[in-house]
Structures are given as C-alpha cells and as structure tokens.
C-alpha cells in the first residue's frame, strides 16, 4: 500500500484514558485526565504518567510523590473529559463531577470509587523530557471492583466494565474481542 510521509509526532493510539487522582488531604485532592500512561515493568510492577509542567497535578505529584491511576469506563466518559479540560486550581473536580474520593490502601491520594480499577503508585523518578515530565512509579497496591473478578479463575475482567480508550482527541469503547494472547499459535482440539 502507498504511504504518505507524515511529520514526527505522537501516533501510537489508542491509549487508555485514565483519571489520575492526587493530593494528600481532602482540601487538595485533584483529578487529572491522562492518556500518556502505561506499564513499563512487570517485576517490580511499574508504570508511568507524563504531565505538562504547567498542569496543577504536576505540582501536587512533584510534592507528594504519589498518585492513583483510576481506569475509566464508557459510563465515566463525561467526567473523564471534563476533568481533562478543567483545572483543579479552579474546580473541585470530585464535587463537580459527583465522584467519590475513597481512602487508598497505601498512598494518601484518594481512589475514585466509581472507577472499576484503581492502581496506587509511588513515584521513584521524575524524568524531564521536553513538553512533558515522566513520573515513573512503583505500583504499590491494586483495588479491583469485586463484581469484575471471575469466580472460577480469579481473573480480573476489565472488559466487562466497558473501558474507555483515547485516540487522536476522541474517546472510544473497545469493541469486540478478536482473540486472546497466543491465539495465533494455539493448537485446535
């Protein structure tokens, strides 16, 4: 197929759209929507978020060195978008989006109760990159919605929560399953 030369840019899509909660007391709790996020290591479990220096959340996490990744769903799409386009300097995002802050197991940043999966993180390094700084973090606790745990296998089934994805400025549901890891080499019975 013919190709067109395109300027270098951020073209790795889709990405998860997550709401990052931060703060160490109710008077400074905040939520920031982030798509620059992902897993970077299995053992120890590590992830990252990248934030612009001018974001309110950047200052909070730089000070506390903790945050929570709250996985978003189709039902949380409006709150996800709203928390990404409004600043915590001007708004109490929990209150205005009718979201519930819940105490985490380990970090002081709150979980978002309405999220099906909350990933508690402690920052180990802040790497300055240019327009964004990368917050590299250890995953220190996971909080999963009980109804999404398969009773037989114990596996977490995020797909049952209708997770939200972000691609080129738009939000999407995931669609239908095509296969599972290793399906291309699995022997037929």
């Amino acid at each position: 197929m013919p190709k067109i030369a395109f300027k270098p840019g951020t073209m790795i899509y889709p990405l998860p759209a997550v709401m990052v909660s931060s703060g160490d007391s109710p008077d400074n709790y905040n939520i920031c929507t982030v798509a620059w996020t992902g897993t970077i290591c299995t053992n120890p479990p590590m992830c990252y978020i990248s934030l612009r220096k001018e974001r309110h959340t950047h200052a909070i996490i730089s000070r506390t060195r903790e945050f929570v990744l709250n996985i978003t769903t189709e039902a949380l799409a409006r709150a996800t978008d709203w928390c990404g386009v409004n600043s915590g300097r001007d708004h109490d995002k929990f209150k205005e989006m009718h979201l519930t802050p819940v105490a985490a197991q380990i970090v002081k940043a709150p979980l978002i109760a309405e999220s099906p999966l909350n990933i508690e993180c402690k920052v180990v390094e802040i790497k300055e990159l240019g327009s964004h700084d990368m917050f590299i973090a250890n995953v220190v606790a996971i909080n999963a919605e009980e109804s999404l745990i398969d009773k037989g296998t114990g596996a977490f089934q995020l797909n049952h929560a209708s997770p939200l994805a972000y691609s080129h400025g738009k939000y999407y549901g995931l669609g239908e399953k095509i296969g599972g890891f290793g399906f291309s080499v699995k022997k037929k019975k």
Side-chain angles (χ1 to χ4, degrees), residues 47 67-69 103-109 111 118-122 137-143:
C47 62
F67 61 89
V68 178
L69 293 175
Q105 295 179 60
I106 295 176
V107 301
K108 291 180 181 166
L111 312 177
N118 319 92
I119 303 168
E120 298 180 40
C121 303
K122 287 194 174 222
N138 286 326
V139 173
V140 296
I142 300 285
N143 303 274

Side-chain angles (χ1 to χ4, degrees), residues 1-7:
M1 297 189 123
K3 303 279 183 183
I4 285 184
F6 215 74
K7 66 178 181 160

Side-chain angles (χ1 to χ4, degrees), residues 16-18 21 46-47 54 56 66 70 73 81-83 89 116 125 128 148 150 152 158 182 188:
V18 299
S21 51
M46 296 179 77
C47 62
E54 62 269 15
H56 183 54
E66 298 180 341
N70 300 277
T73 64
D81 183 64
W82 195 92
C83 288
R89 288 182 188 96
E125 181 182 353
E128 292 187 38
L148 297 174
D150 181 282
L158 181 60
K188 297 191 189 240

Side-chain angles (χ1 to χ4, degrees), residues 98-186:
H98 308 287
L99 297 171
T100 312
V102 175
Q105 295 179 60
I106 295 176
V107 301
K108 291 180 181 166
L111 312 177
I112 298 174
E114 292 78 7
S115 170
L117 185 70
N118 319 92
I119 303 168
E120 298 180 40
C121 303
K122 287 194 174 222
V123 175
V124 295
E125 181 182 353
I126 301 171
K127 186 159 184 64
E128 292 187 38
L129 299 173
S131 64
H132 290 66
D133 287 348
M134 179 185 283
F135 292 79
I136 300 170
N138 286 326
V139 173
V140 296
I142 300 285
N143 303 274
E145 191 172 302
E146 187 176 0
S147 67
L148 297 174
I149 306 295
D150 181 282
K151 303 288 188 248
T153 65
F156 181 67
Q157 301 174 313
L158 181 60
N159 55 311
H160 290 203
S162 301
L164 198 61
Y166 178 82
S167 184
H168 298 281
K170 296 175 178 64
Y171 299 100
Y172 296 92
L174 290 187
E176 292 188 33
K177 176 182 166 187
I178 297 169
F181 181 76
F183 83 100
S184 65
V185 295
K186 188 174 183 179

